Amino acid sequence: MTEANVTAAQSGTGSVPENWQPHIVALVCNWCSYAGADMAGTTRLEYPANVRMVRFPCTGRMSPLMILRAFEQGADGVLVSGCHPGDCHYVQGNLVARRRFTIFRSLMDFIGIDLKRLHFAWVSAAEGHKWAKVVSEVTASVQEAGPLPSFDHPEGWDGIDLPEMAGSGPQELDEDQLNAIRDNLRKAASEVLTGGRAGSVIGYGPGSLANQTIPLFITEAADCEKLEWGQGCRNNLSTYVGSALDKHERVAVVAKTCDLGAISGLIREGQLRREQLVVIGVQCPGVRDGPGLATKCLSCSGDPHPICDLVVTVDGVRESCEDPSAAALDTPDARDEQIAYLETLPHDERWKYWQRQFGRCLRCYACRAACPLCYCSTCITDKHRPQWVPTSIDHPGNSTWNIIRAVHLAGRCSGCDECARVCPADIRLDLINRKLSLEVERQYGKIGLDPEKKSALVDFRMEDSEEFIL
Amino acid sequence: MSRVGVFVCHCGENIARNVKVQEVVESSRDIPGTVVTADYPYLCSAPGQQMVIDAIEEHDLDRVVVAACSPQLHEPTFRAAAAQAGLNPYLCEMANIREHCSWVHRDTEQASAKAYQTVVAAVERVKRSRPLDPIEVPVTKRALVIGAGVAGIRSALDMANAGHQVVLVERQPSIGGNMSRLSETFPTLDCSQCILTPLMVQVSRHPNIELMTYSEIENVSGYVGNFKVLIRKKPSFVVAEDCNGCGDCAEVCPEPGGNEFDMALSSRKAIYIPFPQAVPSVYTLDADRCLNSKLDSPTGFRVLACVKCEEACQPKAIDYDMQPEIVEREVGAIVVATGFDLRLGEPAAQFGYQRSLDVMDGLEFERMLSASGPTGGEVRRPSDGQTPKDVVFIQCVGSRDPEHGVSYCSKICCMYTAKHALLLKHKVPDSRAFVFYMDIRAGGKDYEEFVHRAMEEERVMYIRGRVSQVIEENGKLKVLGVDTLSGRTVEIDADMVVLAAAMEPADRGEIAGKLRIAADAHGFFKEAHPKLRPVETLTAGIFLAGTSQAPKDIPETVSQASAAASKGMELLSQEFLQRDPSTAHVNEAACAGCFECLAVCPYGAIERKQLLDAQGEVRREVAAPNPAMCEGCGLCTVTCRGGYIDLEGYTDEQVFAQLGALGPVREVVER
Amino acid sequence: MTRVTDSSWKLTDAQLRAWLSGLLDGNSVVAPVEEDGVLLFRPIASAHQAVIKPSGKTRWSPKEFLFPRSEALYRYSFKGGTVQLEDPPVPEKHQVLFGVRSCDASGLVRLDEIFLSGTTDRLYSARRENTTVVSTACAAADQECFCTAVGYSPVGEEGSDVQLVPMDEGWLLRVLTDKGRDLVGDSAEGWKAATAKDGKRLPELEKKVSKQIERSPVNREWSKVLEEGFEHGAWDRLAQHCLGCSVCAYVCPSCSCFDMNHEANAWCGEQCRSWDACTFPLFTHHASGHNPRETKQERYRQRVLHKFAFREEDDEPFRCVGCGRCVALCPAGLDIVNTVAAAVEAIREEGADAAR
């Protein structure tokens, strides 16, 4: 038996077949919405037959990956429904889920999914009428949005010119100044080793191409002479701290300002303890990306981060360590303008922009490998049973991969932009991660650098916003 | 490969009217894994169920899908039928084609298409179901009651009387709590001690109650049915079995100080008994007051500066070398009854609480009224011992005051203020009592009448309005307030002011932390559901009684204590607890130990488990959900980014397969 | 593929464009295009989209047009209670890869050695048959190039059917194979024949580009040294900063590993193969749980040796064609040639068995 519906994958242009019916998948919680739907049935209310239900114990069990799979499998719309806040059978499932949905939804919007396709509702066991109404409204809304645009390379599309990013970056340092910092750094690192403060220093050494450095792992003080400092020091060395701690009790790491947000996150998530680190903060001239400075540097002062143990500047080396709960980095970001610009574009333009980007994705996972906060022993994308992230290196699978990585980083990403730097396909991962950072901040406030504070997506407040929830 | 049976119900006309049942049955034959399909007018009927049972046996089915009404209705029915046929009940799934389909969609084509797809999804799901058995948790047949005020006493007695072992822990030297401080109780004016002491004695004599006073909870680990509790017995330096309560020691003790029981209105010695009717009736040497503990000896020996009590003690019950003792008890259920304190912060200070001796709180006034109190039951000004003539009572001191105090109402103050005023008039007939109030809350049985008695019979003057200041002037207390009903300011030169201070939980988070139970913003322990589960917490096996959960009076406290006891007995009366097997499981080899799952779990069901290497060294910590505590919400499964946690009964594979069945039907993978 | 070198012409830029335009009739033409600042091979719809330059590589090789990132091996659906199999669709048009640099063309031949020898990979074979390669020799090296250091050449002919050589003005077009001759077909009318002097351009470019590449050559003998020093401790430190991604393998013209997976739902599915890389931790992870390449240093060593050792005959070329993309794009800055040189030095100095 085949369906009466005929769904055609169209790319947004082109005509919709006359009797096209949207196909909608609903994820519902057992205690409220499923029972509410039962109530609608008992009351013999009539509503459109386009919805297919999946039953869950709680909205807390519903993952963005499930919503993405529904779309990948061809659904034109998805409805997620659960208990009203305060009524969750499991106390707080819907409250944690509410934050997840808020962030996921904002990302889907950003990458060009018309939100007429993605709906969230609170329907209680007593609200049979509301269920019928919600399904009717959602069906009409998805009907209006039309068939799901295809996950495809946009043919014959000229692309978008994003606005130039403004900002001057850190103060310029001339060669003498950079050499002075480098010499101070070598001295500081050497003393860390000879003084027994750490068993290993992770820093930057000379690379083989111009303006390139590579990570160095130094255990002998004499080797500190190999340390370099300059605009080629691009890597976020905190990625290497975990494996270094397998061999040494304490590790020293050379850090630019942008490298240190990740360390707070790693401490917060139990991956290392502050006492295991000696952080050597260095005055930074900004890092090079092609002919100019990297985007992330444009709004940065280059001053060493507040949370360091040693601070290396042109003038010398000093001890420093601030209470992380007091420290905050309130830097505006040059990328915000580009994000704002993208958000002025209609959804189908955004969709083309991001499909073109995701189409280039090779699934090399350099983004994941370079990210200090991607420390999972096996990535969700490697999970075969079930295969949430399709293995095929094409548009739907690539979209799912990049979306889910961004979702997993929401509220945790420190903005070091390593992912964007290492991407061989020049995908603007920095824009996606920054967009979600902004959204988390806007909705739930800044966590700052204090590792004691809970990260936004494992926390909740009764008064979290929910204007989009039906 | 599974052998699935698909059974489609007509439900009379309920389903068959709008869903083409025969077509659904026929199409279901083609679903991979389906070996038998059938339909029936009413599957839930006895013959209908028998058909399913017979089919399971005849066709050796290992999975069953019943396409019919909502599982909320008949899942237990069909699961029981499956079990009867020897099939694990969790391998039977229902597809809802009635409430979600035939009853709400009139177009037969659309309804039938949806019904068929729903069946396919159910088959895909059930093929990935695993046989599950309810999780059996053994129960230790002993209860722990924390706090021996009237709530703890009542709970302990109820459970002990039912034949269960109870460990009752109290941190003060005597049981009785705040109720033993009261003079008379509203609305009956029963002597508080008189009604409480018999219960206290019962506790001390009960063969099933192990009473540990002057003891505190050190640590609680484990879970419902299997708690391990460490209790610290503080050294009293008096051997309880030998002490006969004669009081010779106290007579010779040179160190007097404030008597906490009397709210510091009287004094006691360093070695003391809190009040005459104390249970147990033994003396306690307060290490903080005793001269001996003030000596630091460089050699590490404790040089005894004063041995007067030891010399005076005939039964030789004093032991200066007593050490704190930590004992371990295993219990199956815990009742928390830690009671309340009065909150005397800024609002009380505003009325001169610290400044003037004649401004006191409700409990202090109780002691004054009490025959065994510091004044022998006579109402006297603490400053000069004179009998007060004008006494002002101020209600809502700190309560209903989100800015300076607490937002909630402390519930009992209206009643005890009326009582205080009434008793004052009894004891000092020519005195005048003024009560400043915002509202009168007298909702209990005979409460309204009691307040009226105070107002009309005893002529207590009730002024509706607040007090702005209390100024000490020439030995009197000038109370400046307002009477909102007349609109006039009021000035009273009072001899004494009594403040109905807000009630706050005595526990400052210590017990909450040790038991891992939640407390609200004010520190009151959180009940599982405010209406339907008022004596349970969200931590299975831990129950609440008394004012530690919320402000309440004695009848409510006693009721709640008995309710908590009954919940405890529900647990203790079983050999094994049966818990739903839909619980979370962690892949320990993969877990990165970020413990975000622990942060989101509403039940504190995720434990930190240490993985050891071959030498027994700790390699790392991983998350370990406790199946006895896990309620199966699945929050942890989504929080875990790597996907290392799965939920039995709603596994990732099941959901994945369902989503794969519920998209638009396609003949070929679109690329 | 017989090499025919006497069919050569000189073309102006305009003539080249016109020829390219003509090729679009009846062929699927894949050429370098610029997309969001990245130079990539893509099917083009018109000649002006193509970026054909005297030098400069695309971000990654065009191997995906013979060996797609993902392709279905077979498809199936569940109908009428049975499984219905079907072969994946075959491309309809002939494919022309236009503007393939010499190193990338060599890469294709390295892939042929894997996919077409022994058991023929029928999907690859069909695409290869169906493809004609128009290569472009290089007038300059990119910063990271080192083809001449590993035995390849900026003007190399292997893997190419028609070679375009950048002249000071215009291009020299050389037909190298019958396929190339068929592709040129009648278009040569109106093109000027090339002279012997034009042909001198080839050794000129080779010399010029070799000079630009400031790397010492990798000696063929080193393969044996690397193999003997397999257990040497140098590998531990040489790859310490490898992050375990697969940029190197995926941008590489000669890497060919793949994984196979089912992607299916309740109605239909396909067995699909997708690129995979030996640098990933799970690549050699056995079903038993054992992984013979447990550490990333072992995995990196494997990749290097696969490129520079494990050759059956001494005169076989290195599988690394010297495009340098892995060096330019490695997130951690690993340099495969430096690694080989350092490993060889360490093995020779300390002996093959020097401890880890």
Side-chain angles (χ1 to χ4, degrees):
Chain A
M1 173 184 272
T2 56
E3 282 213 327
N5 301 345
V6 171
T7 41
Q10 301 286 326
S11 59
T13 57
S15 58
V16 178
E18 231 179 75
N19 48 0
W20 172 76
Q21 284 282 327
H23 190 99
I24 299 164
V25 172
L27 312 183
V28 296
C29 87
N30 176 57
W31 303 94
C32 284
S33 296
Y34 192 95
D38 278 351
M39 173 69 90
T42 322
T43 321
R44 310 292 197 277
L45 301 171
E46 197 177 344
Y47 56 81
N50 306 61
V51 166
R52 304 285 179 268
M53 315 261 281
V54 183
R55 178 175 159 218
F56 290 85
C58 180
T59 41
R61 177 74 183 97
M62 301 175 195
S63 153
L65 284 167
M66 298 171 188
I67 301 176
L68 289 168
R69 176 153 171 87
F71 282 123
E72 275 163 36
Q73 292 291 306
D76 304 295
V78 172
L79 166 63
V80 173
S81 183
C83 303
H84 290 265
D87 292 347
C88 178
H89 180 83
Y90 303 96
V91 187
Q92 65 204 43
N94 57 357
L95 300 175
V96 178
R98 182 168 56 180
R99 286 198 174 188
R100 290 177 188 151
F101 297 153
T102 305
I103 298 307
F104 175 68
R105 182 180 179 269
S106 77
L107 178 59
M108 295 294 264
D109 182 42
F110 186 61
I111 64 163
I113 294 271
D114 189 337
L115 290 177
K116 291 201 198 80
R117 305 184 181 285
L118 181 58
H119 294 271
F120 301 87
W122 303 138
V123 175
S124 81
E127 291 178 311
H129 282 272
K130 184 171 179 187
W131 175 254
K133 182 158 163 282
V134 163
V135 174
S136 303
E137 281 175 8
V138 167
T139 308
S141 172
V142 180
Q143 181 98 42
E144 205 189 309
L148 183 73
S150 63
F151 291 83
D152 247 335
H153 186 84
E155 294 300 336
W157 183 65
D158 290 327
I160 293 172
D161 286 318
L162 293 177
E164 281 275 320
M165 288 182 282
S168 54
Q171 62 159 133
E172 276 193 45
L173 296 170
D174 63 35
E175 201 180 322
D176 287 332
Q177 289 172 310
L178 283 174
N179 287 342
I181 298 174
R182 181 200 62 196
D183 295 337
N184 289 333
L185 172 61
R186 288 175 177 171
K187 194 155 87 60
S190 179
E191 278 169 14
V192 162
L193 288 172
T194 52
R197 232 168 136 171
S200 159
V201 174
I202 310 175
Y204 301 94
S208 57
L209 300 177
N211 251 321
Q212 186 199 49
T213 59
I214 60 169
L216 267 189
F217 304 86
I218 300 177
T219 48
E220 303 293 326
D223 289 334
C224 291
E225 284 306 299
K226 297 185 189 151
L227 287 170
E228 291 294 330
W229 187 250
Q231 290 193 324
C233 294
R234 297 178 298 181
N235 295 64
N236 185 341
L237 298 175
S238 52
T239 319
Y240 295 101
V241 169
S243 52
L245 284 172
D246 283 340
K247 301 194 201 118
H248 305 277
E249 254 185 60
R250 266 187 324 279
V251 159
V253 61
V254 174
K256 311 186 289 292
T257 313
C258 49
D259 298 334
L260 284 164
I263 291 188
S264 277
L266 290 168
I267 297 173
R268 182 177 295 127
E269 294 167 21
Q271 299 307 300
L272 52 87
R273 297 188 310 279
R274 181 69 179 88
E275 321 73 87
Q276 293 177 301
L277 284 180
V278 175
V279 181
I280 307 176
V282 189
Q283 189 176 358
C284 179
V287 298
R288 186 149 291 278
D289 181 17
L293 279 180
T295 315
K296 64 177 174 177
C297 303
L298 294 175
S299 338
C300 181
S301 67
D303 290 334
H305 198 275
I307 304 177
C308 297
D309 295 293
L310 294 171
V311 169
V312 176
T313 60
V314 176
D315 304 319
V317 184
R318 61 168 206 275
E319 296 275 338
S320 160
C321 192
E322 269 184 46
D323 175 10
S325 57
L329 288 176
D330 265 310
T331 50
D333 195 296
R335 291 163 288 180
D336 296 351
E337 245 190 79
Q338 293 194 331
I339 291 171
Y341 177 76
L342 279 170
E343 292 183 314
T344 61
L345 300 176
H347 282 92
D348 64 321
E349 283 290 289
R350 290 186 226 176
W351 181 249
K352 286 184 186 143
Y353 177 80
W354 288 109
Q355 282 305 301
R356 190 156 98 164
Q357 303 252 336
F358 295 153
R360 293 200 293 274
C361 177
L362 294 176
R363 309 286 281 283
C364 66
Y365 302 118
C367 48
R368 171 183 84 185
C371 176
L373 289 172
C374 277
Y375 52 74
C376 286
S377 52
T378 53
C379 180
I380 187 68
T381 197
D382 293 324
K383 198 169 152 97
H384 281 308
R385 296 186 64 172
Q387 189 73 52
W388 283 116
V389 184
T391 57
S392 48
I393 308 174
D394 54 22
H395 290 259
N398 293 354
S399 303
T400 300
W401 161 244
N402 284 292
I403 292 170
I404 201 60
R405 200 183 90 90
V407 167
H408 281 180
L409 280 170
R412 307 163 64 226
C413 172
S414 62
C416 73
D417 272 4
E418 278 286 85
C419 49
R421 170 183 79 87
V422 304
C423 177
D426 283 8
I427 299 174
R428 293 304 303 276
L429 300 171
D430 58 326
L431 290 181
I432 297 180
N433 288 319
R434 176 72 185 162
K435 161 66 191 168
L436 286 191
S437 280
L438 286 175
E439 191 67 24
V440 169
E441 216 176 276
R442 185 173 79 87
Q443 298 277 6
Y444 311 121
K446 258 180 144 61
I447 302 290
L449 302 158
D450 185 355
E452 295 299 309
K453 282 231 181 89
K454 269 182 163 180
S455 148
L457 289 177
V458 293
D459 206 356
F460 61 87
R461 300 278 178 280
M462 264 314 271
E463 48 303 346
D464 284 337
S465 86
E466 52 170 58
E467 336 89 27
F468 63 92
I469 302 187
L470 297 171
Chain B
M1 182 60 156
S2 291
R3 295 178 62 79
V4 184
V6 175
F7 304 92
V8 186
C9 188
H10 294 240
C11 196
E13 277 286 287
N14 284 304
I15 293 176
R17 186 184 305 118
N18 290 331
V19 170
K20 293 186 244 179
V21 173
Q22 288 309 325
E23 277 191 31
V24 173
V25 169
E26 268 179 49
S27 303
S28 298
R29 262 182 218 130
D30 292 344
I31 306 172
T34 305
V35 299
V36 79
T37 58
D39 59 299
Y40 198 79
Y42 293 100
L43 272 172
C44 58
S45 66
Q49 290 183 50
Q50 194 58 48
M51 184 185 91
V52 175
I53 293 169
D54 290 341
I56 294 172
E57 286 167 356
E58 192 185 317
H59 297 277
D60 203 17
L61 300 178
D62 61 15
R63 300 285 188 283
V64 164
V65 169
V66 174
C69 53
S70 171
Q72 301 257 0
L73 215 50
H74 275 306
E75 189 170 76
T77 313
F78 293 109
R79 285 199 167 164
Q84 224 185 307
L87 185 65
N88 183 293
Y90 290 90
L91 300 177
C92 170
E93 194 69 37
M94 283 191 77
N96 186 335
I97 61 171
R98 189 182 75 171
E99 280 86 336
H100 291 180
C101 195
S102 67
W103 271 354
V104 290
H105 306 315
R106 299 285 143 79
D107 181 321
T108 0
E109 285 302 319
Q110 290 181 355
S112 306
K114 179 168 169 176
Y116 171 62
Q117 228 182 343
T118 308
V119 169
V120 175
V123 172
E124 292 302 313
R125 188 183 136 78
V126 84
K127 285 195 291 197
R128 292 156 179 88
S129 295
R130 284 195 280 255
L132 299 174
D133 293 308
I135 297 170
E136 282 197 342
V137 177
V139 179
T140 307
K141 301 229 182 222
R142 189 180 296 108
L144 168 71
V145 178
I146 307 176
V150 65
I153 288 171
R154 181 73 266 158
S155 240
L157 283 174
D158 282 0
M159 290 193 278
N161 287 339
H164 298 289
Q165 297 295 312
V166 180
V167 175
L168 178 57
V169 175
E170 168 55 54
R171 68 176 172 187
Q172 301 289 357
S174 169
I175 64 176
N178 277 317
M179 187 175 167
S180 57
R181 288 190 164 112
L182 305 182
S183 61
E184 281 150 72
T185 58
F186 57 79
T188 51
L189 295 181
D190 277 307
C191 152
S192 183
Q193 288 259 0
C194 306
I195 55 177
L196 183 60
T197 344
L199 294 176
M200 289 164 58
V201 171
Q202 274 183 52
V203 162
S204 71
R205 295 225 177 104
H206 208 296
N208 289 341
I209 298 180
E210 185 187 357
L211 177 60
M212 293 190 213
T213 53
Y214 212 47
S215 301
E216 300 205 28
I217 302 294
E218 179 82 0
N219 187 56
V220 177
S221 61
Y223 53 91
V224 61
N226 298 274
F227 294 107
K228 252 202 204 24
V229 188
L230 293 176
I231 301 161
R232 171 187 290 270
K233 292 169 101 158
K234 298 184 283 196
S236 66
F237 306 102
V238 175
V239 180
E241 297 82 68
D242 298 334
C243 173
N244 60 16
C246 64
D248 290 345
C249 51
E251 277 209 43
V252 303
C253 174
E255 282 296 292
N259 180 350
E260 303 90 342
F261 185 76
D262 276 341
M263 309 304 291
L265 291 175
S266 69
S267 71
R268 62 158 173 85
K269 299 295 183 68
I271 187 164
Y272 71 109
I273 192 166
F275 54 96
Q277 305 89 333
V279 169
S281 184
V282 297
Y283 276 71
T284 300
L285 176 54
D286 183 349
D288 290 333
R289 300 262 192 97
C290 176
L291 280 176
N292 292 322
S293 65
K294 287 183 185 137
L295 289 174
D296 283 307
S297 166
T299 57
F301 295 117
R302 192 158 52 149
V303 176
L304 294 172
C306 167
V307 295
K308 291 210 170 71
C309 55
E310 189 191 36
E311 286 164 356
C313 178
Q314 300 265 12
K316 297 282 167 253
I318 308 282
D319 175 10
Y320 295 117
D321 294 320
M322 195 184 277
Q323 297 294 316
E325 198 190 329
I326 305 230
V327 298
E328 189 184 285
R329 292 288 181 271
E330 288 181 6
V331 301
I334 301 179
V335 175
V336 183
T338 48
F340 75 92
D341 280 332
L342 287 184
R343 185 180 185 286
L344 294 153
E346 198 195 314
Q350 186 194 347
F351 300 131
Y353 181 70
Q354 295 289 13
R355 281 183 275 116
S356 167
L357 286 170
D358 296 325
V359 176
M360 58 181 68
D361 66 43
L363 275 175
E364 288 167 351
F365 196 62
E366 288 284 348
R367 292 315 301 146
M368 193 168 286
L369 292 171
S370 178
S372 63
T375 57
E378 290 183 6
V379 184
R380 296 207 178 281
R381 283 161 41 104
S383 57
D384 56 12
Q386 296 298 311
T387 308
K389 287 288 180 280
D390 290 331
V391 179
V392 168
F393 297 87
I394 307 178
Q395 291 187 184
C396 292
V397 177
S399 303
R400 306 177 64 189
D401 185 359
E403 266 183 54
H404 305 114
V406 294
S407 54
Y408 54 86
C409 165
S410 292
K411 206 161 187 202
I412 57 172
C413 323
C414 292
M415 288 308 296
Y416 74 63
T417 301
K419 176 189 73 175
H420 285 171
L422 197 149
L423 290 174
L424 169 71
K425 296 291 276 188
H426 284 184
K427 291 180 188 272
V428 188
D430 60 344
S431 65
R432 291 192 300 172
F434 304 88
V435 177
F436 281 90
Y437 73 98
M438 294 209 285
D439 296 284
I440 299 297
R441 293 175 169 180
K445 196 167 184 177
D446 297 329
Y447 283 22
E448 185 69 19
E449 296 87 327
F450 183 81
V451 177
H452 271 269
R453 187 174 147 194
M455 288 176 176
E456 277 147 37
E457 283 178 33
E458 304 297 339
R459 303 283 201 183
V460 173
M461 221 158 318
Y462 270 76
I463 304 166
R464 193 185 183 280
R466 307 209 70 167
V467 172
S468 60
Q469 280 187 74
V470 174
I471 307 168
E472 219 175 338
E473 213 176 72
N474 303 326
K476 296 270 251 187
L477 297 162
K478 202 184 267 301
V479 179
L480 303 168
V482 69
D483 174 6
T484 58
L485 295 177
S486 69
R488 296 215 286 253
T489 53
V490 173
E491 200 179 293
I492 302 173
D493 285 330
D495 297 304
M496 225 158 86
V497 172
V498 182
L499 308 176
M503 216 189 204
E504 63 175 2
D507 179 59
R508 296 280 184 275
E510 261 187 61
I511 292 289
K514 292 200 165 115
L515 294 175
R516 286 179 321 234
I517 55 176
D520 66 15
H522 308 291
F524 289 109
F525 297 123
K526 250 183 101 64
E527 61 289 320
H529 189 282
K531 289 196 150 25
L532 299 177
R533 300 174 69 195
V535 303
E536 300 163 81
T537 62
L538 283 165
T539 307
I542 302 185
F543 310 104
L544 302 173
T547 49
S548 59
Q549 182 254 345
K552 56 175 66 73
D553 54 29
I554 294 169
E556 288 171 336
T557 298
V558 173
S559 306
Q560 198 181 37
S562 289
S566 111
K567 285 288 176 197
M569 289 192 275
E570 195 185 315
L571 267 183
L572 300 178
S573 60
Q574 302 177 62
E575 287 300 321
F576 287 95
L577 294 176
Q578 302 265 343
R579 299 203 33 97
D580 193 315
S582 180
T583 59
H585 299 263
V586 169
N587 176 349
E588 288 179 359
C591 173
C594 76
F595 293 107
E596 294 206 328
C597 51
L598 194 151
V600 295
C601 177
Y603 304 99
I606 301 198
E607 292 162 0
R608 303 179 95 105
K609 177 172 170 181
Q610 293 184 329
L611 295 184
L612 308 177
D613 65 19
Q615 282 76 45
E617 295 292 317
V618 176
R619 252 200 345 198
R620 61 181 217 272
E621 275 192 335
V622 297
N626 183 334
M629 291 176 75
C630 173
E631 295 282 333
C633 66
L635 263 180
C636 54
T637 60
V638 180
T639 301
C640 181
R641 289 177 283 270
Y644 313 134
I645 311 184
D646 209 353
L647 181 65
E648 206 69 75
Y650 294 91
T651 62
D652 276 344
E653 282 198 69
Q654 284 176 311
V655 174
F656 187 82
Q658 284 173 274
L659 290 167
L662 292 176
V665 180
R666 284 192 173 141
E667 312 240 321
V668 75
V669 170
E670 306 244 325
R671 183 162 280 292
Chain C
M1 277 192 301
T2 352
R3 296 190 173 277
V4 178
T5 54
D6 60 351
S7 308
S8 309
W9 295 269
K10 266 207 60 184
L11 274 66
T12 63
D13 278 325
Q15 283 177 317
L16 185 65
R17 288 279 154 196
W19 180 51
L20 176 56
S21 208
L23 288 177
L24 284 165
D25 252 331
N27 292 308
S28 166
V29 180
V30 175
V33 304
E34 201 191 285
E35 185 182 287
D36 297 329
V38 182
L39 198 64
L40 286 178
F41 274 94
R42 283 234 184 265
I44 55 171
S46 71
H48 72 256
Q49 285 177 280
V51 176
I52 310 293
K53 294 189 299 189
S55 64
K57 303 190 298 291
T58 49
R59 192 61 66 87
W60 51 77
S61 84
K63 71 181 177 185
E64 63 184 300
F65 292 95
L66 295 182
F67 168 46
R69 297 183 217 170
S70 287
E71 64 179 329
L73 299 176
Y74 57 85
R75 295 180 170 172
Y76 50 88
S77 61
F78 306 109
K79 270 205 314 216
T82 61
V83 177
Q84 310 209 344
L85 282 177
E86 81 181 44
D87 279 330
V90 285
E92 288 162 8
K93 286 183 177 175
H94 189 82
Q95 178 172 254
V96 177
L97 299 183
F98 198 98
V100 177
R101 299 246 80 103
S102 311
C103 51
D104 289 335
S106 289
L108 297 181
V109 179
R110 301 287 82 76
L111 290 178
D112 289 346
E113 284 157 9
I114 292 175
F115 287 113
L116 299 178
S117 67
T119 316
T120 308
D121 184 303
R122 67 184 166 84
L123 292 167
Y124 180 92
S125 171
R127 283 184 210 272
R128 195 68 171 100
E129 272 291 304
N130 194 44
T131 300
T132 307
V133 177
V134 178
S135 68
T136 38
C138 305
D142 290 331
Q143 197 200 162
E144 67 273 7
C145 287
F146 56 88
C147 57
T148 51
V150 288
Y152 290 88
S153 164
V155 302
E157 292 173 7
E158 70 168 342
S160 173
D161 297 303
V162 176
Q163 187 185 48
L164 298 171
V165 185
M167 309 297 278
D168 289 324
E169 271 181 33
W171 300 83
L172 178 63
L173 187 151
R174 307 173 62 224
V175 167
L176 300 176
T177 65
D178 288 335
K179 248 190 181 166
R181 182 183 298 286
D182 289 337
L183 191 71
V184 167
D186 301 329
S187 311
E189 284 170 37
W191 293 352
K192 224 165 103 181
T195 62
K197 181 161 175 275
D198 293 327
K200 287 211 172 65
R201 181 71 165 160
L202 289 151
E204 248 171 53
L205 286 182
E206 181 155 36
K207 198 160 154 211
K208 174 172 169 240
V209 172
S210 290
K211 271 225 192 80
Q212 285 178 343
I213 293 171
E214 288 171 346
R215 292 231 193 218
S216 322
V218 177
N219 200 313
R220 288 272 167 92
E221 289 171 8
W222 290 3
S223 300
K224 278 278 171 316
V225 179
L226 289 174
E227 284 168 25
E228 279 159 16
F230 192 79
E231 296 294 344
H232 195 280
W235 291 107
D236 277 347
R237 56 179 168 76
L238 289 172
Q240 221 177 346
H241 48 300
C242 171
L243 288 168
C245 65
S246 68
V247 173
C248 51
Y250 286 3
V251 302
C252 175
S254 62
C255 272
S256 61
C257 287
F258 58 86
D259 189 17
M260 295 188 289
N261 285 289
H262 276 273
E263 305 269 329
N265 59 27
W267 317 104
C268 57
E270 64 178 25
Q271 166 83 302
C272 151
R273 77 164 162 201
S274 305
W275 287 359
D276 201 352
C278 58
T279 49
F280 284 136
L282 294 179
F283 188 72
T284 47
H285 186 86
H286 294 177
S288 64
H290 171 62
N291 190 341
R293 296 184 203 139
E294 192 90 57
T295 65
K296 69 176 183 214
Q297 285 89 340
E298 287 170 288
R299 294 190 283 273
Y300 187 69
R301 173 185 65 190
Q302 144 65 23
R303 186 154 191 286
V304 172
L305 262 58
H306 198 260
K307 295 294 172 204
F308 285 98
F310 300 153
R311 295 177 303 121
E312 280 181 13
E313 306 295 332
D314 258 341
D315 59 357
E316 272 179 23
F318 289 134
R319 287 188 200 88
C320 170
V321 300
C323 72
R325 289 183 177 101
C326 57
V327 176
L329 294 169
C330 174
L334 279 148
D335 184 314
I336 197 170
V337 177
N338 286 357
T339 305
V340 166
V344 165
E345 190 183 320
I347 293 165
R348 281 184 167 161
E349 265 182 37
E350 297 161 28
D353 300 324
R356 288 173 162 263

